[in-house]
Amino acid sequence: QVQLVESGGGVVQPGGSLRLSCAASGFTFSSYGMHWVRQAPGKGLEWVAFIRYDGSNKYYADSVKGRFTISRDNSKNTLYLQMNSLRAEDTAVYYCAKDVVEMATYFDYWGQGTLVTVSS
Amino acid sequence: AIQLTQSPSSLSASVGDRVTITCRASQGISSALAWYQQKPGKAPKLLIYDASSLESGVPSRFSGSGSGTDFTLTISSLQPEDFATYYCQQFNSYALTFGGGTKVEIK
């Protein structure tokens, strides 16, 4: 069955960096687009970034553009999110999510999430 | 970015009630809309895609309708396990967006 397992969350100071990982299994990872979606404590869902199945296209929410970088290693079935210049408002649970196709559409599988806390 | 406005933001209902949640897009998105259910402490679960297609394994009491700018999610007969928060999401543009959510609570 499809499994997505995030890791790398934790507490980081404002201005700091963190890299999240998402290990995928149970499907042909290299055939699907992948996303990061976040949810601040007690708030709604916010799409963060998308990467096409082969890494050829990447899209970002305006709130993270220029600070976050999405990438993938299809040989390791792993998705990444490099987060730099972190701000308090980046505090959230970060989910990786699988797209139903190779492009950016909607999400049929989600991980359990990893919490990122930006605080001094 | 395309904005999605959900209403109501919360509602109270009883088991067996018919519940309708609306989602309005700031511009036309054809049928590029999905609905998700989220329970506390859990990841969202896909219910409806392409505005009206039921995801495999989702009970038939859930249905979606609409196109263009106005969409609805209907639960025909609310069950105890349906108390949760529901989100719409558009994929008409590459900048994906979610609605603000609708919390369905027990009356």
Side-chain angles (χ1 to χ4, degrees):
Chain A
Q1 74 280 21
V2 172
Q3 276 201 305
L4 299 170
V5 180
E6 302 95 337
S7 60
V11 180
V12 60
Q13 292 189 338
S17 298
L18 210 56
R19 188 175 86 153
L20 305 183
S21 299
C22 172
S25 61
F27 65 103
T28 305
F29 180 72
S30 59
S31 295
Y32 293 91
M34 295 293 296
H35 304 259
W36 289 98
V37 177
R38 68 184 180 183
Q39 187 169 35
K43 302 297 184 182
L45 300 169
E46 180 187 15
W47 171 79
V48 172
F50 164 81
I51 184 167
R52 206 159 178 244
Y53 71 103
D54 57 358
S56 59
N57 291 93
K58 304 175 185 181
Y59 307 132
Y60 299 92
D62 287 344
S63 58
V64 306
K65 205 172 292 183
R67 300 187 299 122
F68 289 13
T69 301
I70 189 171
S71 62
R72 64 192 297 161
D73 186 336
N74 286 344
S75 68
K76 295 182 178 179
N77 289 349
T78 303
L79 176 72
Y80 302 100
L81 185 68
Q82 177 66 44
M83 304 185 295
N84 298 332
S85 303
L86 282 161
R87 307 166 179 167
E89 54 265 36
D90 296 318
T91 293
V93 173
Y94 284 74
Y95 296 101
C96 72
K98 171 186 168 294
D99 204 289
V100 295
V101 291
E102 71 278 9
M103 304 181 299
T105 60
Y106 55 93
F107 325 102
D108 57 353
Y109 289 96
W110 299 64
Q112 85 288 349
T114 187
L115 177 62
V116 172
T117 303
V118 184
S119 173
S120 54
Chain B
I2 297 172
Q3 296 182 12
L4 297 178
T5 303
Q6 281 184 241
S7 60
S9 55
S10 66
L11 65 91
S12 294
S14 300
V15 172
D17 284 353
R18 181 182 182 88
V19 169
T20 299
I21 298 168
T22 66
C23 178
R24 175 162 290 175
S26 59
Q27 63 189 74
I29 58 171
S30 186
S31 297
L33 190 96
W35 289 95
Y36 301 86
Q37 175 194 68
Q38 187 180 33
K39 296 182 179 179
K42 300 293 187 181
K45 172 187 174 184
L46 176 65
L47 300 175
I48 301 285
Y49 61 94
D50 292 343
S52 60
S53 295
L54 192 68
E55 172 70 351
S56 176
V58 174
S60 58
R61 63 181 179 273
F62 290 93
S63 65
S65 65
S67 67
T69 59
D70 294 311
F71 302 86
T72 60
L73 173 70
T74 300
I75 309 172
S76 60
S77 178
L78 198 65
Q79 297 302 299
E81 60 268 32
D82 301 338
F83 292 96
T85 301
Y86 294 84
Y87 295 92
C88 57
Q89 176 246 324
Q90 67 80 22
F91 51 97
N92 184 72
S93 74
Y94 67 81
L96 308 183
T97 50
F98 288 92
T102 297
K103 187 173 184 179
V104 177
E105 299 176 300
I106 302 172
K107 181 182 280 186

